[in-house]
Amino acid sequence: MNGGRNDLLVLLENYLLGWKMQFDLLAIRNETFLQDLIFEDEVDSTNSALLRLAAEKSQKTPVLMLAERQTRGRGRGGNHWWSNDGALTFSILLDFPMLPPELLGSFSLTVGLAVCQTLEQRAPSADLAIKWPNDVYLNHKKLAGILMERPDANEPTLVVGIGVNLNNRMQGAPEDIRGRATSLLDECGEFIDPSAFLIDCLQQLERRCRDQVHHRSALLDQWRAYCYLTGKQVEVQTGSRTIRGECLGVDATGALQVASESGTETILSGVVLSF
Ligand code: BTN
């Protein structure tokens, strides 16, 4: 038995998971903006692998690194990213010369938006939101995380890593994660074709990258519409300061605005400690 569930049921579910996570690499490559695609059964971290590749300076971009399993998945602030079978973990190495350095921070909101919009097609009634600056929430729990890294501060290249709890269950997760994270399978009870999901997500991302350059006010409206923290009492660590107050949303640069006792604070980067 597994957590009170029938062995046969668990076996069947694992079989389906195994089947579902077979990726259609050709379709992913042909139906998206990718110039190259690398698939690994197992890698330490798809972000780390692309950072190593970027250092060689000969990789065609955009390139996708897709892994069935990560042994050292990484999150923001040096955190570990936990994932189990059925989760979707991938990174993209992008050249984005049109993205001015001052808008780099806001780009994780744009990526979060692309992920939300992809999810929305599968779960139209789900309560989806972006928790500034890099989390996607579903029904008030974390469903996906985004880790953006720059291989070289002097070049306009970016590694965008995305982890989505898609066809996995949180049942096997460490207790602290189980309390605050969820998966699409847990919430909606359906297996999602991971290749179709990935293709949609990359297509949405391509559109949102264009908006990032050409349709910034429409993009801002969408960041705001999906902002999870607006109206909530938040506590944000930024550098050595901790700012407390009501979140007023995000501004045009993607910075978080908080009405604190000393006035409105504009926070360019930070960690939300409580909300
Ligand atoms: C966070 O929530 O702090 C960000 C999590 C990002 C996880 C993804 S999974 C794919 C890519 N590879 C990694 O090592 N991390 C990102």
Side-chain angles (χ1 to χ4, degrees), residues 45-47 70 72-76 81 89-91 134-135 142 145-147 161-163:
S45 141
T46 52
N47 263 46
Q70 296 188 116
R72 303 184 73 166
R74 296 188 290 110
R76 253 182 117 220
W81 175 257
T89 49
F90 62 98
S91 304
N134 68 324
D135 294 339
K142 179 163 170 170
I146 296 155
L147 177 64
I162 305 177

Side-chain angles (χ1 to χ4, degrees), residues 17-261:
L17 268 180
W19 174 72
K20 282 289 179 188
M21 290 311 275
Q22 301 297 314
F23 290 100
D24 184 346
L25 300 180
L26 207 62
I28 298 170
R29 164 77 177 72
N30 288 344
E31 293 175 32
T32 63
F33 68 142
L34 296 175
Q35 290 294 314
D36 203 356
L37 187 161
I38 303 163
F39 174 80
E40 300 283 359
D41 287 332
E42 187 173 290
V43 74
D44 53 351
S45 141
T46 52
N47 263 46
S48 305
L50 281 188
L51 287 174
R52 292 191 290 268
L53 208 59
E56 292 171 14
K57 312 243 180 233
S58 56
Q59 177 60 50
K60 276 192 287 188
T61 59
V63 56
L64 175 80
M65 164 73 69
L66 178 61
E68 199 83 62
R69 265 179 314 282
Q70 296 188 116
T71 53
R72 303 184 73 166
R74 296 188 290 110
R76 253 182 117 220
N79 291 331
H80 170 68
W81 175 257
W82 175 90
S83 60
N84 57 353
D85 284 355
L88 188 59
T89 49
F90 62 98
S91 304
I92 308 144
L93 174 65
L94 284 174
D95 247 312
F96 203 168
M98 309 287 278
L99 183 69
E102 67 275 14
L103 291 183
L104 196 66
S106 71
F107 191 56
S108 69
L109 297 176
T110 302
V111 177
L113 186 61
V115 175
C116 279
Q117 290 170 334
T118 309
L119 289 159
E120 215 155 54
Q121 293 169 5
R122 268 106 190 146
S125 57
D127 188 359
L128 284 157
I130 303 167
K131 195 197 117 224
W132 185 91
N134 68 324
D135 294 339
V136 171
Y137 267 53
L138 171 62
N139 299 342
H140 307 281
K141 285 186 162 187
K142 179 163 170 170
L143 179 87
I146 296 155
L147 177 64
M148 287 204 339
E149 297 180 292
R150 297 194 66 177
D152 181 336
N154 300 315
E155 285 182 28
T157 44
L158 271 180
V159 172
V160 180
I162 305 177
V164 186
N165 291 317
L166 195 70
N167 288 327
N168 53 323
R169 289 206 180 269
M170 302 316 287
Q171 195 178 267
E175 208 171 316
D176 61 317
I177 295 178
R178 226 182 309 145
R180 56 190 164 84
T182 193
S183 77
L184 200 62
L185 179 62
D186 281 342
E187 296 295 321
C188 303
E190 274 176 39
F191 287 96
I192 301 292
D193 176 350
S195 303
F197 184 90
L198 194 49
I199 290 169
D200 284 356
C201 189
L202 293 169
Q203 289 177 348
Q204 290 283 5
L205 184 61
E206 187 188 9
R207 285 186 213 116
R208 299 293 82 81
C209 282
R210 265 190 248 123
D211 290 348
Q212 182 88 32
V213 179
H214 301 294
H215 302 109
R216 292 206 43 85
S217 79
L219 195 62
L220 175 59
D221 288 346
Q222 303 207 50
W223 291 343
R224 286 185 168 150
Y226 282 91
C227 182
Y228 188 62
L229 299 176
T230 304
K232 291 191 164 68
Q233 288 299 317
V234 296
E235 193 178 21
V236 188
Q237 176 89 47
T238 175
S240 58
R241 296 178 64 211
T242 302
I243 296 167
R244 293 178 189 83
E246 183 188 333
C247 175
L248 304 175
V250 289
D251 73 7
T253 66
L256 195 72
Q257 296 204 294
V258 176
S260 74
E261 270 180 1

